[in-house]
Amino acid sequence: MELLVASAIGILTAAGIYLVLRLRSFPVIIGMSLLTYAVNVFLFASGRLTVGAPPILGDAASYTDPLPQALVLTAIVISFGMTAVVVMIALGAYLGADDDHVDDQAPPEADLKAEDAT
Amino acid sequence: MSLFLVVALPFLGALLPGLMNSAGRQACAGVTFTVTLAALIGLLTNLPAVLAGEVVTTGVNWLPMLGLNVNLMLDGLGFFFASLILGIGLLIIAYARYYLAREDNMGEFFTYLLLFQGAMAGIVLSDNILLLLVFWELTSLSSFLLIGYWKHLPGGRQGARMALTVTGMGGLAMIGGMLILGQIVGSYDLSVILQNRELIQSSPLYLPALLLILLGCFTKSAQFPFHFWLPHAMAAPTPVSAYLHSATMVKAGIFLMARMWPVLAGTPEWFLIVTTAGLITMVLGAVIALFKHDLKALLAFSTVSHLGLITMLLGTGTAFGAMAAVFHILNHATFKAALFMSAGIIDHETHTRDIRRLGGLRHLMPVTFVIATLAALSMAGIPLLNGFLSKEMMLEEATHTALFNTPWLVPALATVGSLFSAAYCFRLIGHTFLGPKRDDYPSAPHDPGPGLWLPPAILVVLVVAIGVAPFLAEPLVKLVTSAVLGDAAALPKAHLKIWHGLTPPLYMSVVAVLGGLILLMLYRPALRLWDAAPRPEAKTIFDATIASAVSLARGIIHPLHNGAFSRYAALMVVTVIAAGYHAWSTGTLGAATRTVQPAGAVEIAGWVMLVAATGGLVFLHRNRLLALILIGIVGLMVSVGFVFFSAPDLAMTQITVEVVSIILLLLALNFLPNRTPVESTVLRRTRDALVAIAGGLATLAMSYHFLLREAVTSPISEYHLANSYKGGGGTNVVNVILVDFRGFDTFGEIIVLGIAALLIYALTETLLDGPVRARLLNRTPDQPRAGDMHPTMMVVLTRVMMPVVLMVGFYIFWRGHNEPGGGFIAGLVVSIAVVMQYMASGFSWTSARLRYPYHGVIGAGVLTAGLTGIGSWFVGKPFLTSDFTYVRIPPFEKFELATAALFDLGVFLAVVGAVMLSLESFSRLARRADAQDSEHPMDIDPSRDPADVTNPAKEGA
């Protein structure tokens, strides 16, 4: 089971990195969402994996670690906020320039000259 | 009045001029004047104590762990400087009221001036050297604003930048020096440091500390070789120049040298560095000043020269030298401020400051003539004016100072400096006011109103009064000098008087004055000689240095930072992997302490779905709609995983967030292209894949080894589990952590969430106001629009579901403390219910029924949470301490009431507000694009292009 979770984290990370390295804003956003999943699952897993012992106090003998869950819960909600901001920025850039490339399209030399000229 | 108030008044008062700006210039200047006057009076209330020889102190602990406390002290030296700063400040404010033109923004000017004034007052009253550093940097920043006040002048901007660069670099050096000093003594309090002369001077770190502190002082006080910034700062409006370069900014370095005099002075290093720098600055400044044609440039270099003089006096390390320095600080502040203001008057009236275009003003501006002449003669060192007295003392001190074992060197150079000083003063008088009246002034000059000439006149009265009756100033000078000397030396017995007899200084003075007159007669040949002599231009060197620093930085940064986001991302990933690999290969790995748990078929099936969806995303991401579906699957499987691994709260959160995220991305996809084109080369994709696989393997290895081992120490959550019910009154430990144990974190998080939503709202507003608006209005959707915008079934269903969902949300919220649920999840559930109304019944219909704006909901949430936290103050508990009790209202079961529930309500409101505000902002964009949103639900959209219906080929294009 540990290997399943660890490999899921690894695969989510790899796919996330690959998509973040794409050239258009949409796949980059998708890639960042994948990385968010990977990070959240990793943080959650730092409490180690326990089946069938939720941290709801009752008669059970032991409970899983509640602290990583609390951390990840807020992380999930905040990551929604951050995704929304990034999507808005990407959308604004696309609507403003009719271009959804994430990279600066002008070569750096031209950029340099433009800076010098001002 | 408390010293705090004296320092704080200018800062607080800085808010007023901006507010009074619309009330007119008189009100604006008046309020500034009143604030400064109040601070000055507050300072003067401490005068009796200072005169009695007491040191007034006051302080509060700010950051005691760092040794940084707001400790203020007022002794003779501090009082002297503070009264100069505030007193001359008053005159400058009055002068500036009449000097500034109608188009200058007076509120802005006086705001900067008060900020600067407060920072200066802070420097001279600080008892803590770290606090002093804070104020020191504040003067650099506020003087930058003042020097660059006329933003439209390139000279002003460049001068301000140069001043900031030079004084800012010096300030950095001084931070180092002060920290070393504090380390040596073990305290950052000046009063302690000043008691430890032997300790500091015997320390091996004395020299580095001295060098760094002097670097700060020399840059601030424009000592050679850092003197070049001061003349360029003359691009500032004249009141600024008069203030910064007579009484304040440049005197800060002098002040610090005087303040530190008891512990730093008296060593050969101090003597050699400070005296030499002062001497060179004095002579160099005087020589350059003579050949400047701009009145303000002449005065600027004369300031440099006089600062050199004071520095040299402090450098000698004798008590008499210190007394002469103090006296000259006073005299210089009076005559130099008067001269700057006179120069400003001439500029104001004739519209030129070029001496070559002036002359003969004596007849046209008699009042200015008298003021400027008296001040200039004082500067030249003519008897019966105050400049003479301190210059005599300087020459006296020079005759006793032997630099490099050459007894004649210092007296000779001091005489040369005085000679040139006299020459430029005579030139200032002669070439501006004397001579024949001209008929080619750029503007017809006449004396200005009293608003402009009264402030310098007051100073000139002082110049003459001290010059004629030096015994008036003697108590003050003695008081200040004893404060400078501290315990390090006894106060000199000498008195301030005009006639000392036929002593060497008198002969030197006579030589200087006569030599100055002769030099002025030979001015034309001397100028030709000067113009022919090669000399380095400081500004060129400075600009070249800056340019080379910039090109060096560019050379390093551009290959890394070339505007390609994917390159930074790749570099970052590779760096992190390399760092991880380094740790992995150098560290050791303990044996596994946990047993591997077996995985059944269901778990493997879930894993396969997750991996398949992720893999599908990588290969099919170009079809963006499909990518959204796939990422939905990933999110769903992650939620299922959370349930499986005993995290019901997380699962509920994840699945609800998933829904709103997908809606959000769908809204965005409405505008973005539907497909991602193939652009990158195969090589590039291979490279990215390699980087990604390396990253994936690294996280896999790390997570796997991590999961097989127990935590090194027992986790703090044992405390949470043990106290959740006892202390927090809830059995859902995750929720108790969120709203109770770590409530402060949660409070911060809902604020962040609210800010993110407001940011999205603001971006939308900006987009809709800008050129994007036109683009959106002209946009034709790339998908055919639906025939029925608001399908009947969906409308009915969502409306039926609304109360049900609200009830579920209420239930989830209320049970959250004991069972999975809580404010976050309830907030998300309710948001989804509201979003469904938008989707089904349309934007207009839903907005019309919206009673509270979402901004308000966010604010109410944050306020509720904050007030709940504050509530615990009233029972004497720290912020966010929670309490709970059990109540029973028949016929219901006994239930719990906790303050944490109120906090959770705040979380709930903030989440609802933030989620809704973000989604609503996105859909507002869409609304602009397709403006025919119907007010009525369940209608058929008649405006739809019929071509789309008949052309199914366009479907899905």
Side-chain angles (χ1 to χ4, degrees):
Chain A
M1 203 114 82
E2 273 75 6
L3 188 61
L4 286 187
V5 172
S7 60
I9 295 173
I11 289 164
L12 283 172
T13 310
I17 293 174
Y18 180 78
L19 289 178
V20 162
L21 297 180
R22 295 305 88 209
L23 298 174
R24 301 290 183 133
S25 55
F26 193 79
V28 171
I29 290 166
I30 296 282
M32 292 206 321
S33 304
L34 286 183
L35 282 177
T36 307
Y37 290 129
V39 170
N40 283 344
V41 174
F42 175 76
L43 283 182
F44 166 71
S46 70
R48 308 304 186 277
L49 302 176
T50 319
V51 181
I56 312 291
L57 298 181
D59 306 327
S62 73
Y63 303 99
T64 186
D65 193 340
L67 191 60
Q69 296 194 12
L71 293 178
V72 171
L73 199 152
T74 49
I76 293 172
V77 179
I78 293 227
S79 71
F80 163 75
M82 292 303 127
T83 309
V85 172
V86 172
V87 171
M88 192 71 224
I89 292 170
L91 198 56
Y94 175 69
L95 291 175
D98 207 11
D99 179 15
D100 63 344
H101 280 97
V102 289
D103 290 352
D104 203 345
Q105 290 301 292
E109 290 74 29
D111 197 37
L112 254 181
K113 280 186 196 109
E115 266 177 52
D116 287 341
T118 51
Chain B
M1 195 194 291
S2 161
L3 294 181
F4 283 131
L5 216 52
V6 175
V7 176
L9 261 177
F11 284 112
L12 296 176
L15 296 169
L16 295 175
L19 293 176
M20 300 301 285
N21 213 5
S22 50
R25 297 150 63 82
Q26 203 71 40
C28 194
V31 72
T32 315
F33 191 86
T34 315
V35 166
T36 310
L37 189 65
L40 183 63
I41 291 171
L43 182 75
L44 291 176
T45 56
N46 291 299
L47 182 61
V50 174
L51 283 180
E54 288 172 37
V55 178
V56 185
T57 56
T58 178
V60 288
N61 284 351
W62 180 13
L63 297 170
M65 305 285 276
L66 294 177
L68 173 52
N69 296 320
V70 186
N71 290 347
L72 300 177
M73 92 174 168
L74 183 73
D75 63 350
L77 182 63
F79 179 81
F80 172 57
F81 269 92
S83 47
L84 274 185
I85 292 161
L86 296 171
I88 295 191
L90 276 181
L91 299 178
I92 297 287
I93 291 163
Y95 178 82
R97 154 69 186 88
Y98 296 98
Y99 182 85
L100 289 180
R102 202 157 281 280
E103 55 268 23
D104 292 324
N105 184 343
M106 199 173 255
E108 188 186 344
F109 181 83
F110 282 128
T111 303
Y112 297 161
L113 195 78
L114 281 176
L115 285 178
F116 177 76
Q117 193 179 64
M120 278 305 300
I123 289 186
V124 299
L125 296 183
S126 289
D127 185 21
N128 183 292
I129 53 175
L130 297 179
L131 185 69
L132 190 147
L133 285 172
V134 173
F135 285 121
W136 186 275
E137 297 296 328
L138 274 179
T139 60
S140 291
L141 290 176
S142 48
S143 67
F144 170 78
L145 294 172
L146 278 173
I147 295 170
Y149 171 69
W150 278 332
K151 302 178 194 72
H152 54 280
L153 299 180
R157 298 198 300 268
Q158 288 161 10
R161 210 154 54 210
M162 188 189 271
L164 183 66
T165 312
V166 176
T167 58
M169 297 279 255
L172 279 181
M174 208 175 73
I175 291 175
M178 289 296 197
L179 290 178
I180 295 177
L181 202 62
Q183 287 296 317
I184 297 175
V185 180
S187 165
Y188 291 108
D189 283 336
L190 257 177
S191 38
V192 180
I193 291 173
L194 292 182
Q195 303 299 321
N196 283 294
R197 179 187 168 92
E198 280 76 28
L199 181 67
I200 291 168
Q201 297 199 348
S202 60
S203 161
L205 289 174
Y206 167 71
L207 192 59
L210 177 71
L211 287 176
L212 290 171
I213 292 176
L214 285 181
L215 210 54
C217 294
F218 284 5
T219 47
K220 200 76 152 187
S221 286
Q223 294 300 295
F224 178 81
F226 308 109
H227 59 285
F228 56 88
W229 69 263
L230 199 148
H232 288 286
M234 287 300 141
T238 302
V240 174
S241 310
Y243 197 34
L244 262 59
H245 306 311
S246 64
T248 54
M249 172 88 164
V250 294
K251 292 282 168 69
I254 301 283
F255 164 79
L256 198 67
M257 283 192 269
R259 182 93 276 179
M260 291 291 175
W261 196 88
V263 289
L264 295 181
T267 60
E269 296 94 335
W270 167 276
F271 172 66
L272 195 67
I273 301 170
V274 180
T275 310
T276 313
L279 208 55
I280 295 176
T281 314
M282 177 170 93
V283 176
L284 195 70
V287 173
I288 300 176
L290 180 60
F291 298 106
K292 285 290 167 190
H293 303 304
D294 179 356
L295 269 180
K296 276 177 78 180
L298 187 154
L299 291 176
F301 277 104
S302 89
T303 302
V304 170
S305 168
H306 280 268
L307 292 168
L309 188 157
I310 299 168
T311 307
M312 186 202 79
L313 286 172
L314 288 170
T316 58
T318 65
F320 186 77
M323 184 159 98
V326 169
F327 194 28
H328 198 67
I329 291 170
L330 174 65
N331 296 338
H332 178 247
T334 51
F335 65 64
K336 189 51 67 66
L339 277 172
F340 267 118
M341 290 196 245
S342 307
I345 294 174
I346 293 168
D347 187 16
H348 203 257
E349 297 303 322
T350 66
H351 293 193
T352 182
R353 300 195 308 246
D354 192 332
I355 297 180
R356 289 169 299 188
R357 300 185 64 185
L358 296 169
L361 291 180
R362 163 177 52 127
H363 308 290
L364 298 163
M365 307 171 70
V367 179
T368 318
F369 167 64
V370 172
I371 293 169
T373 306
L374 283 174
L377 288 178
S378 172
M379 182 156 78
I382 303 299
L384 297 183
L385 296 167
N386 63 358
F388 170 73
L389 301 167
S390 45
K391 181 167 283 188
E392 287 291 282
M393 288 168 76
M394 182 275 286
L395 293 170
E396 168 77 29
E397 178 70 14
T399 54
H400 300 300
T401 308
L403 198 62
F404 305 117
N405 294 324
T406 327
W408 56 265
L409 184 67
V410 178
L413 282 176
T415 313
V416 171
S418 307
L419 191 154
F420 274 91
S421 180
Y424 67 66
C425 293
F426 295 148
R427 174 162 186 243
L428 178 72
I429 302 167
H431 290 187
T432 311
F433 292 103
L434 305 181
K437 207 190 297 184
R438 298 170 66 149
D439 49 11
D440 59 345
Y441 303 116
S443 172
H446 54 81
D447 264 323
L452 281 180
W453 63 254
L454 203 56
I458 293 170
L459 290 169
V460 166
V461 169
L462 281 176
V463 166
V464 179
I466 298 173
V468 176
F471 54 85
L472 289 177
E474 187 167 316
L476 178 69
V477 173
K478 286 271 166 89
L479 178 76
V480 178
T481 311
S482 71
V484 170
L485 298 176
D487 306 331
L491 194 63
K493 295 270 184 294
H495 292 287
L496 308 180
K497 51 186 179 182
I498 303 170
W499 180 251
H500 289 272
L502 291 171
T503 49
L506 190 66
Y507 296 129
M508 287 154 77
S509 248
V510 171
V511 169
V513 170
L514 290 181
L517 277 175
I518 295 167
L519 189 57
L520 191 64
M521 286 173 199
L522 301 173
Y523 186 71
R524 282 180 192 286
L527 182 65
R528 268 199 298 279
L529 204 64
W530 172 258
D531 284 341
R535 53 182 186 277
E537 180 59 49
K539 187 170 186 314
T540 323
I541 300 172
F542 176 80
D543 287 345
T545 316
I546 297 289
S548 63
V550 168
S551 69
L552 179 71
R554 214 174 249 175
I556 296 170
I557 289 168
H558 255 287
L560 297 170
H561 198 114
N562 61 349
F565 166 80
S566 16
R567 181 183 293 202
Y568 321 148
L571 278 175
M572 196 199 77
V573 170
V574 170
T575 313
V576 171
I577 297 172
Y581 180 76
H582 174 75
W584 174 266
S585 55
T586 52
T588 52
L589 188 67
T593 53
R594 282 175 74 98
T595 47
V596 177
Q597 302 173 53
V602 178
E603 290 89 323
I604 293 175
W607 180 85
V608 168
M609 282 168 77
L610 180 81
V611 171
T614 314
L617 259 180
V618 170
F619 293 102
L620 303 173
H621 74 268
R622 293 181 193 288
N623 182 343
R624 293 182 171 180
L625 200 60
L626 186 60
L628 276 191
I629 296 169
L630 287 172
I631 200 152
I633 298 177
V634 174
L636 205 60
M637 291 324 294
V638 170
S639 320
V640 170
F642 283 143
V643 177
F644 183 71
F645 291 114
S646 324
D649 287 278
L650 284 192
M652 290 166 84
T653 315
Q654 181 75 63
I655 206 158
T656 41
V657 163
E658 211 53 50
V659 174
V660 286
S661 298
I662 298 292
I663 293 174
L664 177 99
L665 286 169
L666 271 173
L667 282 170
L669 206 51
N670 187 19
F671 297 99
L672 292 170
N674 285 328
R675 288 195 62 83
T676 310
V678 183
E679 281 175 314
S680 43
T681 57
V682 177
L683 188 70
R684 159 114 199 209
R685 271 176 275 162
T686 317
R687 186 203 75 179
D688 291 347
L690 286 176
V691 172
I693 289 169
L697 283 176
T699 41
L700 187 157
M702 181 171 68
S703 328
Y704 184 62
H705 288 289
F706 192 72
L707 286 175
L708 286 185
R709 283 158 188 83
E710 294 290 349
V712 182
T713 55
S714 58
I716 50 170
S717 28
E718 281 170 14
Y719 170 84
H720 296 143
L721 285 168
N723 289 289
S724 174
Y725 188 70
K726 267 192 298 180
T731 53
N732 180 2
V733 188
V734 175
N735 184 268
V736 176
I737 290 177
L738 283 176
V739 298
D740 194 335
F741 294 131
R742 310 291 304 165
F744 207 35
D745 290 0
T746 311
F747 186 51
E749 275 150 359
I750 58 172
I751 292 174
V752 171
L753 197 64
I755 292 173
L758 290 177
L759 180 61
I760 292 169
Y761 176 77
L763 279 170
T764 317
E765 285 296 297
T766 318
L767 282 178
L768 288 177
D769 278 348
V772 171
R773 180 190 158 93
R775 195 188 291 257
L776 281 172
L777 287 174
N778 293 327
R779 179 174 171 276
T780 44
D782 48 2
Q783 300 277 347
R785 286 215 310 276
D788 51 347
M789 291 168 78
H790 310 298
T792 312
M793 272 176 66
M794 195 164 161
V795 171
V796 172
L797 206 61
T798 49
R799 289 190 196 175
V800 171
M801 272 174 68
M802 184 73 185
V804 180
V805 178
L806 287 181
M807 194 62 224
V808 170
F810 178 76
Y811 171 67
I812 288 180
F813 172 80
W814 204 246
R815 75 173 203 160
H817 215 43
N818 293 313
E819 296 287 324
F824 275 109
I825 300 165
L828 287 162
V829 167
V830 170
S831 306
I832 292 173
V834 181
V835 168
M836 286 194 322
Q837 304 305 314
Y838 277 98
M839 289 166 69
S841 304
F843 191 93
S844 311
W845 184 86
T846 317
S847 303
R849 278 146 190 86
L850 186 70
R851 207 165 298 166
Y852 307 103
Y854 295 123
H855 320 67
V857 177
I858 299 177
V862 173
L863 267 182
T864 308
L867 290 176
T868 310
I870 288 173
S872 47
W873 285 349
F874 292 104
V875 289
K877 297 274 177 57
F879 188 64
L880 274 176
T881 311
S882 73
D883 198 10
F884 61 94
T885 181
Y886 292 90
V887 290
R888 189 184 151 82
I889 306 171
F892 298 110
E893 287 278 317
K894 184 178 86 161
F895 64 96
E896 179 202 354
L897 273 183
T899 59
L902 211 53
F903 181 80
D904 219 10
L905 179 69
V907 173
F908 166 81
L909 288 174
V911 169
V912 172
V915 172
M916 287 318 300
L917 187 61
S918 324
L919 292 178
E920 195 223 16
S921 301
F922 273 91
S923 47
R924 261 157 25 100
L925 282 181
R927 209 165 107 73
R928 292 290 167 142
D930 313 308
Q932 309 90 335
D933 185 23
S934 165
E935 163 67 17
H936 307 288
M938 309 178 215
D939 67 345
I940 300 294
D941 178 11
S943 69
R944 192 168 65 118
D945 183 6
D948 283 345
V949 190
T950 53
N951 186 5
K954 233 187 150 183
E955 206 99 346

